[in-house]
Amino acid sequence: MSEKTLKPQVNKLLAALPASDYERLIPHLKLVPLPTRQVLYEPGEPITHVYFPQHAVISIVTSMKDGSTVEVGIVSNEGMVGIPVILGGNTTTTKAFVQVAGAGMQIDADVLRSEFNRGGAIQNLLLRYLRAIYTELTQSCACNRLHTLEERLARWLLTVSDRLESEEFPLTQEFIAQMLGVRRSGVTVAASTLSRAGMICYQRGQINILNREDLEATSCECYRVIQKEYARLLAGESAKAHRRSPHFDKAQ
């Protein structure tokens, strides 16, 4: 990655911490590149580091014996990768890998666990983050069972767009099919419908959202429920991030 690529985009979860708590983390944070397909942890293997993505998207997936996979979580600059570390464990049944390249803050798992166990602001913030994750997981379970593929695809594209803070991003239909746990042909049909309606443009592995308002109208209610929960989690984050920008320079 070039130096320009590594210019940090503030991780909103870190930015929501009080300055004193963030100052305590600075010596342990390291800005690292997160290239596409990099595996951050595998099922059953110890989680040695926790990541706070900046301009990157991480997929959390579950795999079956027949090799099929489905995405059960997506993390970008609103959160962290390595939740089991603060839940009393250091392994998980899922796999985490980079879906869209970028960068992130890396911290030793033992350090974050110790900070969490101190209580206070860090513990409170991460527990609220877990609440947002719980909302996303439960809503996604209902969504996968009750809503059409077009609605689910619209929700997923909006979520990726929100996390990347961009209307354009690289994703293949094959990859989207794996993440949604459906056949590629189904994604092709759903994407074509959204494209013909002028909501998205899909060319050579690039998705471009052309009409966000219509895409939101096409998406199921789950998108707004999850979006609202994360907005509540990160309320007031912008002002704190602005105050904290010099500290991010130190952490690099």
Side-chain angles (χ1 to χ4, degrees):
M1 271 194 176
S2 66
E3 197 63 35
K4 184 177 180 181
T5 306
L6 283 174
K7 277 183 135 182
Q9 176 190 34
V10 173
N11 175 279
K12 295 176 181 177
L13 200 57
L14 287 178
L17 283 171
S20 58
D21 290 271
Y22 185 73
E23 288 279 1
R24 204 165 59 246
L25 294 182
I26 287 175
H28 307 287
L29 290 169
K30 179 183 179 182
L31 183 65
V32 297
L34 296 172
T36 304
R37 296 289 182 172
Q38 177 182 343
V39 176
L40 304 184
Y41 59 72
E42 292 272 12
E45 293 185 359
I47 299 175
T48 58
H49 294 90
V50 172
Y51 296 84
F52 294 88
Q54 293 178 349
H55 196 70
V57 176
I58 315 302
S59 283
I60 313 298
V61 300
T62 294
S63 300
M64 300 297 150
K65 287 183 178 180
D66 62 3
S68 59
T69 62
V70 65
E71 184 179 72
V72 294
I74 183 170
V75 184
S76 190
N77 69 353
E78 86 301 332
M80 61 170 274
V81 181
I83 284 178
V85 167
I86 63 172
L87 294 178
N90 69 337
T91 63
T92 180
T93 58
T94 57
K95 174 180 178 178
F97 69 96
V98 181
Q99 177 188 118
V100 179
M105 290 294 189
Q106 180 193 76
I107 188 170
D108 185 273
D110 289 335
V111 171
L112 186 65
R113 185 183 294 109
S114 295
E115 288 295 329
F116 179 82
N117 289 337
R118 285 169 64 112
I122 291 179
Q123 185 182 90
N124 181 267
L125 178 66
L126 293 182
L127 287 175
R128 285 193 288 120
Y129 176 59
L130 288 177
R131 173 184 166 182
I133 290 290
Y134 177 77
T135 298
E136 185 170 18
L137 287 173
T138 54
Q139 200 70 34
S140 295
C141 286
C143 182
N144 292 342
R145 177 66 180 85
L146 301 174
H147 295 143
T148 68
L149 182 52
E150 286 176 23
E151 291 174 321
R152 292 169 56 202
L153 176 59
R155 174 180 67 85
W156 195 77
L157 293 176
L158 288 167
T159 300
V160 174
S161 175
D162 288 347
R163 304 291 167 87
L164 283 175
E165 299 181 351
S166 173
E167 302 288 271
E168 186 175 355
F169 37 89
L171 287 174
T172 65
Q173 288 190 7
E174 181 178 0
F175 190 80
I176 295 172
Q178 289 179 335
M179 295 303 97
L180 294 178
V182 298
R183 295 180 182 275
R184 179 177 174 177
S185 58
V187 172
T188 300
V189 172
S192 295
T193 300
L194 299 180
S195 181
R196 286 195 305 271
M199 299 180 212
I200 67 169
C201 176
Y202 177 77
Q203 286 185 323
R204 299 175 183 177
Q206 286 287 127
I207 298 283
N208 189 7
I209 296 178
L210 304 176
N211 189 327
R212 187 178 185 90
E213 184 177 345
D214 283 356
L215 193 62
E216 288 188 14
T218 300
S219 173
C220 54
E221 65 208 67
C222 302
Y223 169 69
R224 287 170 288 281
V225 171
I226 295 169
Q227 184 188 45
K228 183 178 180 180
E229 189 64 27
Y230 276 100
R232 179 165 39 243
L233 163 70
L234 298 169
E237 164 271 321
S238 296
K240 293 176 183 177
H242 178 73
R243 292 198 301 270
R244 193 160 301 109
S245 55
H247 304 317
F248 274 89
D249 292 337
K250 291 180 189 178
Q252 296 172 62

